[in-house]
Amino acid sequence: MNKKEISGRKLLGIAGMGWMFDAMDVGMLSFIIAALKVEWNLTPGQMGWIGSINSIGMAVGALLFGVMADRIGRKNVFIITLLLFSIGSGASAFTSTLTVFLIFRFLIGMGLGGELPVASTLVSESVPPEKRGRIVVLLESFWAGGWLIAALISYFVIPKFGWQTALIISAIPALYALYLRMGLPDSPRFSAIKDKEKISVFQSLAKLWSKEYGRQTGMLWVLWFCVVFSYYGMFLWLPSVMVMKGFSLIKSFEYVLIMTLAQLPGYFTAAWFIEKFGRKFVLVVYLIGTAASAYFFGTAESTALLMTSGILLSFFNLGAWGGLYAYTPEQYPTIIRGTGAGMAASFGRIGGVLGPLLVGYLVAQKMSIQSIFTIFCISIIIGALTVLFFGKETKSKELV
């Protein structure tokens, strides 16, 4: 094993742990929403706003910190965002009103939204081209670990000790972020250009929509919107949907925990396919698999079909997310990579705002779960077709 491989594995471990803590927070939110519905007697509309305000924060964070990453470096932004969401998460445990809770969810969302594209950019720029796709998908696989921890905490802690205890546990990453500051190297590509003259924010934005990069920017924005809209619309409501289908709160947590386990093979198969068949193959195949699973989950009337389609939904959807994070930074040169990845993620988060709100509104209007999940099915198919017809393959491409 050479030094580059050791360095790559260390970076994957450090960035992956940050990614896992992010997922733990987002994963617990879906269970906390279900618990708060009972404790604070929330309406479906208010439940939707908890998920949506989180995504508004993520949109702001992805945009702000993506631009900052091209100015002050990937490492510095990575640490700042980790601290922001960790401290916000711990503080939100002490709230007693929905308004204050929503303010903290916005700040937490900013940290989450900034950290994810910056971490994937940092890793993309630090590993060899022939391993880059696989490593970034493996980075995304830490998300499944975080969701698994979230599901375990929610299943064992929330019913017995309350949602506040779960949020305090999620604040532990603040200590880890301080440790990160000591040994994490910045991206070698960013280090190579940081002493050269940088372009302004407006020049970066103009470059994103220039003739050279406009096609991939448009493709990424549509893709991100479709994926984020459907993911947050479906997954933040999963425990609540299970309750609507007649299961108890505890039983719904148990089933979602089982579905969460299916995320790991989704990531690992995507990590293998992405270097063998390419980014477009993984994105298109896994998105179509997600769409089919969403449709059957929405129409399922038996427990067996509900569980099978839910497991496949987790498998395909999270594999597609791995492909998305590997594919996005590869579309741009180093000088605008943070801005490009951040803005695509930021635009996608608008979908994350609309998804949970739409579900809350449609549930209040007595629309069937089947019809709601059909909407998400169509959204995912649009994303798959966008990549198929407008995306460029970037497998083994040298980053510039």
Side-chain angles (χ1 to χ4, degrees), residues 42-117:
L42 301 180
T43 66
Q46 289 173 321
M47 292 166 69
W49 265 110
I50 294 175
S52 293
I53 201 75
N54 198 64
S55 288
I56 293 171
M58 290 181 88
V60 174
L63 179 60
L64 174 67
F65 292 117
V67 171
M68 281 179 63
D70 283 339
R71 303 284 171 295
I72 65 171
R74 288 49 164 141
K75 169 190 170 178
N76 291 332
V77 171
F78 184 38
I79 294 170
I80 291 168
T81 53
L82 268 170
L83 281 169
L84 180 61
F85 95 79
S86 301
I87 294 168
S89 193
S92 67
F94 301 97
T95 60
S96 56
T97 66
L98 179 61
T99 303
V100 178
F101 188 79
L102 290 174
I103 291 169
F104 278 118
R105 282 317 312 179
F106 175 80
L107 295 174
I108 294 163
M110 279 186 67
L112 292 169
E115 193 271 336
L116 298 174

Side-chain angles (χ1 to χ4, degrees), residues 324-340:
L324 182 62
Y325 273 107
Y327 192 51
T328 302
E330 296 176 340
Q331 305 301 313
Y332 302 109
T334 301
I335 197 167
I336 59 167
R337 186 169 293 121
T339 303

Side-chain angles (χ1 to χ4, degrees), residues 23 92 100 112 116 218 228 269 271 295 357 376 385 395:
S92 67
V100 178
L112 292 169
L116 298 174
V228 180
T269 53
Y295 177 78
L357 278 180
F376 294 128
L385 293 175
K395 177 172 169 275

Side-chain angles (χ1 to χ4, degrees), residues 139-292:
L139 168 66
E140 249 284 285
S141 73
F142 281 83
W143 188 268
W147 262 85
L148 191 56
I149 294 170
L152 289 169
I153 290 172
S154 301
Y155 183 64
F156 291 108
V157 174
I158 291 178
K160 194 171 183 180
F161 302 101
W163 57 269
Q164 296 93 337
T165 305
L167 282 172
I168 291 169
I169 291 170
S170 75
I172 293 170
L175 300 173
Y176 182 71
L178 295 175
Y179 160 74
L180 281 176
R181 190 184 296 271
M182 295 185 286
L184 182 67
D186 210 334
S187 151
R189 293 214 161 268
F190 177 80
S191 300
I193 68 157
K194 71 178 181 180
D195 296 325
K196 297 177 182 176
E197 187 178 346
K198 293 189 178 70
I199 60 176
S200 69
V201 175
F202 295 110
Q203 287 173 314
S204 296
L205 297 180
K207 202 169 177 65
L208 289 182
W209 289 103
S210 66
K211 189 176 181 181
E212 190 175 3
Y213 300 108
R215 173 174 161 169
Q216 41 274 53
T217 298
M219 178 271 301
L220 282 179
W221 284 30
V222 172
L223 175 61
W224 270 89
F225 182 90
C226 293
V227 171
V228 180
F229 169 76
S230 55
Y231 175 80
Y232 282 94
M234 292 188 295
F235 280 81
L236 277 182
W237 277 86
L238 265 188
S240 302
V241 166
M242 300 293 280
V243 172
M244 290 173 203
K245 282 184 175 279
F247 299 101
S248 69
L249 188 63
I250 300 296
K251 184 60 73 173
S252 74
F253 281 9
E254 185 180 313
Y255 285 161
V256 174
L257 174 58
I258 294 168
M259 292 176 196
T260 302
L261 288 170
Q263 295 181 10
L264 283 167
Y267 283 124
F268 296 148
T269 53
W272 189 76
F273 286 137
I274 203 161
E275 295 299 1
K276 192 168 183 66
F277 301 117
R279 281 62 165 149
K280 288 181 66 173
F281 172 87
V282 166
L283 280 165
V284 171
V285 169
Y286 280 68
L287 285 173
I288 290 172
T290 303

